[in-house]
Amino acid sequence: MPEGPPDRPGVTGSARPDLDLVAEAGASERTRDLVPVPRRRSSVETHPEPRRSDVDPWGRSEHLRQLTRRLYDPLYKHWFRVEWEHFDRLPTTGGALLVANHAGAIPPDAPAIMHGIETQLGRRVYGLAENLFRAVPVVGTLWARGGGVAAHPDNAYRLLHDEGQLVLVFPEGTKATGKKFTERYQLHRFGRGGFVEIAMRAGVPVIPIAVVGAEEAMPVVFKSNRLAKLIGVPYAPITANMMLMGPLGLVGYFPAKFRLRVLPPVLFDVAPGQERYSRSRVMDESEKIRVSVQEALYDMLRTRRSVWFG
């Protein structure tokens, strides 16, 4: 006696096998008659989400910083040939206030410090500077996109305390970048010590950095007070670069060898978050930091064999 059709998978038996066969045959006929219909695209697919801006609340663009790093890297490695000493003193986490000496008509030290830390340590660096930059068309926007922030105590506190960022400041201010070549590596007073008070209030260390090489990269020969008043800037320097290279000297640096030394972090044994701190204590700490950077500069200059080769 011939065997009936095998049971369908998952079914132990069938009382009406003929109905099962008819159903399967009908399904096969319908399958042959089907014509593929293109799937309709959803509204999300037809209208992709617009690209979000990478500009943070401070105006910094990481996309622009990446581009800047790629363009600046050959200058950093092959023109200035930057070398760091005690780079491991820089913190890998948490906020810290970086304090350095400043020089050059168009200071080359800030880009070197920011580039080295961002590429080697992988941390963002925000640079505090005078509001003058923000008033200059195009330059002000590019400065902000590159990590520049207006030098105000509230801005510094938020970056250091609330966001735990690295913040770079030059306490000498415009007095440093306006120095003549004959005054090179002679530090001016570090302002009124405001950077110390901010570090105390935010509860972060101050990390001094001594920079050698920037003074010779774009030395100031003399300053024109008349031109400064005409264009509305604190000073109008005439540099050796301009005298030797003409208009190219406005942006062309001499290939001075850069050496950067990170000094031990300075911690303050005071309670953070206070509205006011002792003015005498603030000024004393500020002067100690200035002296430590000055002594480091003298030591580095004593061991330097050449301006161009280090």
Side-chain angles (χ1 to χ4, degrees), residues 25-255:
S28 299
E29 291 294 333
R30 288 194 300 272
T31 302
R32 285 196 298 268
D33 293 338
L34 289 177
V35 177
V37 178
R39 184 172 61 91
R40 296 182 61 184
R41 296 175 64 88
S42 68
S43 59
V44 175
E45 293 172 325
T46 55
H47 301 284
E49 183 179 355
R51 188 181 71 85
R52 294 182 179 179
S53 172
D54 69 334
V55 178
D56 69 9
W58 300 101
R60 174 192 169 108
S61 166
E62 189 57 33
H63 176 73
L64 181 62
R65 283 300 302 162
Q66 290 176 359
L67 176 61
T68 303
R69 285 193 290 266
R70 285 198 297 269
L71 295 176
Y72 183 75
D73 197 60
L75 191 68
Y76 178 89
K77 291 180 178 178
H78 306 298
W79 192 255
F80 294 134
R81 293 146 293 142
V82 180
E83 289 186 6
W84 288 81
E85 299 178 20
H86 305 297
F87 189 84
D88 57 341
R89 288 173 173 167
L90 294 168
T92 56
T93 59
L97 188 60
L98 313 178
V99 174
N101 56 300
H102 208 25
I106 302 178
D109 38 37
I113 293 173
M114 294 175 72
H115 183 84
I117 293 175
E118 291 185 0
T119 56
Q120 295 178 236
L121 193 64
R123 294 197 63 184
R124 292 185 176 190
V125 181
Y126 290 84
L128 298 185
E130 299 292 337
N131 287 321
L132 170 67
F133 290 101
R134 299 185 69 87
V136 181
V138 181
V139 174
T141 301
L142 291 176
W143 172 69
R145 296 292 183 269
V149 177
H152 189 279
D154 291 343
N155 292 340
Y157 181 81
R158 285 175 54 198
L159 283 166
L160 293 167
H161 180 269
D162 299 348
E163 301 184 16
Q165 302 285 0
L166 297 178
V167 177
L168 174 63
V169 65
F170 299 98
E172 293 176 279
T174 56
K175 298 189 299 293
T177 55
K179 287 187 302 185
K180 296 180 182 178
F181 187 64
T182 54
E183 303 171 301
R184 62 191 182 278
Y185 299 114
Q186 299 175 25
L187 299 187
H188 288 272
R189 188 183 71 168
F190 276 12
R192 298 178 180 178
F195 72 96
V196 170
E197 188 168 359
I198 288 297
M200 287 179 172
R201 189 154 63 94
V204 300
V206 169
I207 302 180
I209 301 176
V211 182
V212 166
E215 299 271 12
E216 293 86 5
M218 187 174 281
V220 177
V221 180
F222 63 92
K223 295 178 287 186
S224 173
N225 294 329
R226 180 177 300 179
L227 180 60
K229 291 180 180 179
L230 182 64
I231 60 179
V233 295
Y235 63 94
I238 306 300
T239 68
N241 310 59
M242 298 176 189
M243 299 173 68
L244 292 177
M245 296 184 282
L248 183 61
L250 293 171
V251 293
Y253 292 104
F254 292 145

